[in-house]
Amino acid sequence: MYFAALLARTEDGWEASDTELDDVETLSDLTDLAREASVDEDTVLVFIEQEDAWFGVVRVDGEEDPRIFVSDATAAARSSYGEILLTDELLGREPGAEDTIAALEELVGLDGTEDGEPDITPDNDDDDELDADAVPAGPIGDTGILADLGLPEAELLMLRTDALVEIADALGAAEVLETVR
């Protein structure tokens, strides 16, 4: 089960709203959703959590590029919402490289076997999911994403369960987050 919320910073403090991610397919969609919740282009945080398996924080400050932190990239790679956060840039890959390699292999028929030799490679029906081997284990992204808001990098890296509650508490937004949880 997932939980997703937006925390928008205002001059009166933080405002929280529960958010549905059903129509969100890309990081750009998620960023647009966050910007819509922004008051005067202030900071907006998007929290996504999957039952103690992983959590992600996306920070959008006005028109700047979003900053992303994911607590466990391998676990997030097995999640449709996690895949949104695990961009090529975040993973240190050339944008679209995975698609290009797959297209070239299909075009030339590179399956690792000689003509007439049986293909003994295991079938992978999860072609649309990221390969877990290609994703680093553990945290990935901007560990300083919340440092200026009251949560130092070291503390962010130590969070495991109830992470979003602890983050909200450090930001002084625990009560507003709890209203949408």
Side-chain angles (χ1 to χ4, degrees), residues 108-109 111-118:
V108 220
D111 63 0
T113 62
E114 296 291 327
D115 285 342
E117 198 177 308

Side-chain angles (χ1 to χ4, degrees), residues 6 19-21 24 28-38:
L6 293 171
T19 189
E20 286 294 322
L21 299 178
V24 174
S28 181
D29 294 342
L30 189 61
T31 303
D32 290 344
L33 184 68
R35 286 191 177 119
E36 289 171 14
S38 175

Side-chain angles (χ1 to χ4, degrees), residues 13-14 16 20 24-25 39-40 44 46 64 71 77 79 89 116 118 121 127 139 148 167 175:
W14 292 96
E20 286 294 322
V24 174
E25 295 179 8
V39 178
D40 297 326
V44 176
V46 181
E64 292 181 31
S71 66
S79 156
E89 182 180 338
T121 56
D127 290 340
D148 64 322
I167 291 170
E175 287 180 21

Side-chain angles (χ1 to χ4, degrees), residues 73 85-98 134-136 140-141:
L85 303 181
L86 297 174
T87 63
D88 287 336
E89 182 180 338
L90 189 68
L91 295 170
R93 292 190 281 213
E94 187 70 31
E98 196 171 277
V135 177
I140 190 169

Side-chain angles (χ1 to χ4, degrees), residues 62-122:
E63 291 300 316
E64 292 181 31
D65 288 340
R67 296 167 59 191
I68 305 166
F69 174 79
V70 177
S71 66
D72 185 336
T74 304
R78 293 186 290 261
S79 156
S80 58
Y81 296 129
E83 285 181 341
I84 292 170
L85 303 181
L86 297 174
T87 63
D88 287 336
E89 182 180 338
L90 189 68
L91 295 170
R93 292 190 281 213
E94 187 70 31
E98 196 171 277
D99 296 335
T100 303
I101 291 169
L104 287 173
E105 286 176 347
E106 186 175 316
L107 180 67
V108 220
L110 297 176
D111 63 0
T113 62
E114 296 291 327
D115 285 342
E117 198 177 308
D119 180 7
I120 56 170
T121 56

Side-chain angles (χ1 to χ4, degrees), residues 57-61 64-69 142 144-146 148:
V57 179
V58 178
R59 179 177 176 164
V60 178
D61 294 302
E64 292 181 31
D65 288 340
R67 296 167 59 191
I68 305 166
F69 174 79
D142 185 350
I145 191 170
L146 302 170
D148 64 322

